[in-house]
Amino acid sequence: NNNNNNKENVGEGNNKENDDTNDKGLEHMSYTIVVSTFARDDALLAVLPHWLACSNVSEVVVVWHDPARDVILPLRNLEARNARLRVLHQPTDKLSNRYLKDFQFNTLAVFNVDDDEWYGDDIMLDAFRLWKEKEGNAMVGFNARMVNFTLPLVSSKRNAIGYQWDGVCKADARRKKMEAPCGHYNSLFVTKGGFLHRKYHKAFFSRVWTRAREMVDKWSTGEDILMTAVHAAAVSDKTEKIIAVSATYRHDIHYEGLLSHENAVVMDAKLKKDPNALHFLTESHRGDVRMAIIANILEHNLRPPTTHSSWYIPGTGMMSAAEICEERELCYVF
């Protein structure tokens, strides 16, 4: 097995960033939030005050993905008033722009999130603390999935996609024999809310992932699946690669956005049903991206994502898959 070859190309090169998690200074004790946005101005403006009010946040970076539209004046005004807010107007609308390979992060930890999602401050602090306990090696996030990283059956488009959005937490009565048990996962969709080391923003653009990244940009989907593969290939076999955090209580406490908590929940539900949302427009091509990821893994003999079964419950601690599935409300993804 030659899975450890080409380490520099998958994000494990011999550079300072592999050791700098031992630095207990500012860059280790705080984190950066990267918010991706496209044509959802009301949602973005409503949630930004919340992110700016969260504890231990060094900087909030808004990635404006619409090259044809100027950044709106209210956002520029908010940026001018707050030194911790930065707006990046991307020159292209490639989905890979969600990851910032050339950005000079001043923290090791980066939390990626969409413009229509938020998490309470206490839950964020719990997840960030967990990320630090794992010395920045693990990916810690709120949306676990079990993705098939082997060649698919071709009997249906569903098989080609390679996962079910609720597959990790669905009841045993709905599971087929070939499916993993409840609570088992091998992927985290970090763009929906997750911590990872800043070096993976660069590793995403490694040449070994060129084929998969081109498919991400062609079909505008699958960047979350690809990041799981990028991370899995780069970390050591002995490292706990990913840790799922229960998202059950993500909206319950410490929301500081412009909308009331109730109105924010209503907006969230409305956005998730928006027929123009990227999810609805591109989902059918996620299988194409997955196949390109598999091809890159096989071509370069990389470690594929592995299965995990430990969950972190904010305010409680670690629980096994069996325990979290007994407490049905705790096993929650979206």
Side-chain angles (χ1 to χ4, degrees):
N1 190 328
N2 194 31
N3 279 339
N4 290 321
N5 65 351
N6 245 347
K7 284 186 178 180
E8 183 176 359
N9 293 324
V10 296
E12 228 180 32
N14 294 321
N15 55 52
K16 180 178 180 295
E17 278 204 345
N18 291 316
D19 299 316
D20 60 5
T21 46
N22 293 321
D23 184 354
K24 301 301 181 182
L26 176 64
E27 67 175 7
H28 185 69
M29 302 307 293
S30 57
Y31 63 92
T32 301
I33 297 175
V34 174
V35 183
S36 293
T37 189
F38 189 99
R40 295 196 287 206
D41 301 345
D42 290 343
L44 176 67
L45 293 174
V47 79
L48 278 179
H50 170 69
W51 290 129
L52 290 166
C54 283
S55 307
N56 293 59
V57 173
S58 174
E59 193 169 34
V60 177
V61 181
V62 174
V63 183
W64 187 270
H65 288 283
D66 191 346
R69 192 166 71 103
D70 290 339
V71 175
I72 56 174
L73 184 59
L75 180 56
R76 285 300 189 195
N77 289 340
L78 186 61
E79 180 186 28
R81 295 195 304 268
N82 198 309
R84 293 188 301 129
L85 177 62
R86 294 181 64 179
V87 180
L88 299 183
H89 193 174
Q90 296 287 28
T92 66
D93 61 354
K94 292 181 179 180
L95 194 61
S96 57
N97 285 338
R98 285 192 169 198
Y99 304 113
L100 308 177
K101 65 176 180 177
D102 297 321
F103 188 79
Q104 296 300 309
F105 292 105
N106 57 23
T107 64
L108 303 182
V110 179
F111 183 83
N112 286 81
V113 68
D114 287 332
D115 55 11
D116 62 341
E117 191 49 67
W118 74 95
Y119 299 83
D121 187 29
D122 285 356
I123 291 173
M124 290 290 292
L125 284 175
D126 262 6
F128 179 47
R129 188 179 304 114
L130 179 62
W131 183 87
K132 289 192 295 180
E133 288 174 0
K134 302 303 178 182
E135 299 182 338
N137 293 312
M139 183 189 295
V140 178
F142 293 89
N143 267 281
R145 299 290 191 271
M146 177 60 79
V147 178
N148 182 359
F149 284 97
T150 59
L151 295 177
L153 300 172
V154 293
S155 58
S156 72
K157 187 177 294 185
R158 189 181 193 89
N159 284 331
I161 292 173
Y163 71 95
Q164 296 174 322
W165 76 267
D166 63 344
V168 169
C169 292
K170 71 180 182 181
D172 288 337
R174 295 174 52 215
R175 292 182 179 276
K176 298 179 180 179
K177 290 183 178 180
M178 71 286 294
E179 292 186 82
C182 177
H184 288 65
Y185 59 93
N186 64 2
S187 303
L188 289 177
F189 286 2
V190 69
T191 54
K192 293 175 72 67
F195 286 96
L196 75 167
H197 196 288
R198 66 190 181 193
K199 63 187 175 185
Y200 295 111
H201 276 249
K202 293 182 179 180
F204 185 86
F205 294 91
S206 165
R207 59 184 175 85
V208 304
W209 299 108
T210 297
R211 183 186 307 189
R213 195 169 55 251
E214 287 175 347
M215 294 300 286
V216 165
D217 287 334
K218 177 180 180 179
W219 298 117
S220 295
T221 191
E223 84 291 352
D224 39 19
I225 302 175
L226 178 53
M227 180 55 86
T228 285
V230 170
H231 181 266
V235 296
S236 166
D237 280 334
K238 297 180 181 180
T239 300
E240 191 168 15
K241 295 179 176 63
I242 57 178
I243 302 174
V245 181
S246 173
T248 299
Y249 304 115
R250 71 191 191 282
H251 290 166
D252 282 4
I253 52 177
H254 296 295
Y255 175 69
E256 302 292 341
L258 294 180
L259 300 179
S260 68
H261 178 270
E262 292 76 14
N263 287 339
V265 170
V266 171
M267 175 178 284
D268 180 62
K270 180 179 179 181
L271 288 168
K272 284 179 170 54
K273 295 179 181 179
D274 180 1
N276 294 315
L278 199 60
H279 167 76
F280 294 109
L281 296 175
T282 65
E283 183 180 26
S284 62
H285 292 291
R286 290 178 77 79
D288 299 312
V289 175
R290 185 176 70 91
M291 291 300 295
I293 293 170
I294 294 170
N296 281 161
I297 290 172
L298 294 175
E299 178 184 1
H300 297 282
N301 198 25
L302 303 173
R303 283 186 297 266
T306 55
T307 300
H308 298 264
S309 59
S310 295
W311 289 69
Y312 183 77
I313 314 303
T316 300
M318 299 300 298
M319 292 179 67
S320 68
E323 291 172 323
I324 198 171
C325 288
E326 285 181 5
E327 301 287 339
R328 292 299 306 169
E329 73 277 3
L330 294 181
C331 193
Y332 180 77
V333 297
F334 60 95

